[in-house]
Amino acid sequence: VALSFALIFAFSAVDNAVSPMVKQIAATYAVNMEAVLWFISVCTAGTVLGVFLGPWLVAVLKPLRLLIAATLVLFAAQAGFLLGGNLAAGLAFRFLSGFCTGAIASVMWWLTFHGVQKKYYPAMIAVLMSARPLATAIGVPLAGLLAWESSWQFPYWLLAGLMAVSGLALAKVFPEGDGQAQSAGLFEGYRH
């Protein structure tokens, strides 16, 4: 439960922390501040696609494999965004980040309904409902303050590290078996 919270909190804070750092990101990417807002839009588009395809990915790849793959790709995409300076590449990395967060969200819902013992179900629901708003309320301002004291990349690296550590640690304690009742059809999960 705690690792799920940390993972969702970290990727949600990253998703939303672009806005307070628009000026610094614009300088790094050598674009105007309006262009930086595309980083938010493409990440959101990736998240929507990841959430839509998530149930199918969970059925095809199995939850544990999807969690590990999405966590590793999410960290790599975050690193690419932080190390880059090319707008097109940065947008691609942000889209990929969003897609991975959407896929991980599907794993979190699977874990809630099929992976944790029933006594932990209320705690997992609390995590799923509170981690994102808390990341916006606490994580984004904290990232802004850390960026103010250092560079805009610093809080992103911290959050990327938290994503990687919590995602991979969660994989280590992930329940055995897939417990998946869904078929692997792309729209099967939406027919019921």
Side-chain angles (χ1 to χ4, degrees):
V1 172
L3 291 170
S4 297
F5 179 86
L7 179 57
I8 296 169
F9 181 92
F11 74 61
S12 296
V14 164
D15 284 353
N16 295 300
V18 168
S19 296
M21 301 178 208
V22 168
K23 187 174 181 180
Q24 296 89 337
I25 296 171
T28 299
Y29 276 87
V31 295
N32 61 40
M33 287 191 282
E34 291 79 18
V36 172
L37 297 179
W38 280 99
F39 288 130
I40 298 169
S41 298
V42 299
C43 187
T44 301
T47 302
V48 169
L49 184 62
V51 166
F52 176 72
L53 294 177
W56 174 70
L57 291 169
V58 165
V60 171
L61 297 176
K62 304 302 179 209
L64 177 58
R65 280 190 239 153
L66 180 57
L67 174 64
I68 293 168
T71 298
L72 293 174
V73 172
L74 179 59
F75 181 81
Q78 191 63 30
F81 172 66
L82 293 170
L83 297 172
N86 176 280
L87 181 62
L91 290 170
F93 287 129
R94 287 287 292 172
F95 180 84
L96 193 55
S97 292
F99 182 82
C100 290
T101 64
I104 290 171
S106 295
V107 172
M108 295 297 108
W109 281 105
W110 177 90
L111 186 61
T112 300
F113 290 109
H114 303 287
V116 298
Q117 296 173 12
K118 293 303 173 199
K119 67 180 180 179
Y120 296 115
Y121 174 79
M124 281 299 294
I125 291 293
V127 163
L128 293 175
M129 296 294 113
S130 66
R132 280 186 175 273
L134 285 172
T136 302
I138 298 169
V140 172
L142 183 59
L145 288 171
L146 289 172
W148 187 29
E149 293 295 323
S150 56
S151 70
W152 74 268
Q153 291 98 335
F154 178 69
Y156 273 91
W157 281 115
L158 287 178
L159 291 167
L162 180 58
M163 284 185 287
V165 168
S166 59
L168 295 175
L170 180 58
K172 291 289 278 183
V173 297
F174 208 79
E176 289 188 27
D178 59 31
Q180 190 61 34
Q182 282 181 260
S183 72
L186 181 58
F187 297 104
E188 283 301 307
Y190 295 103
R191 289 186 188 180
H192 305 289

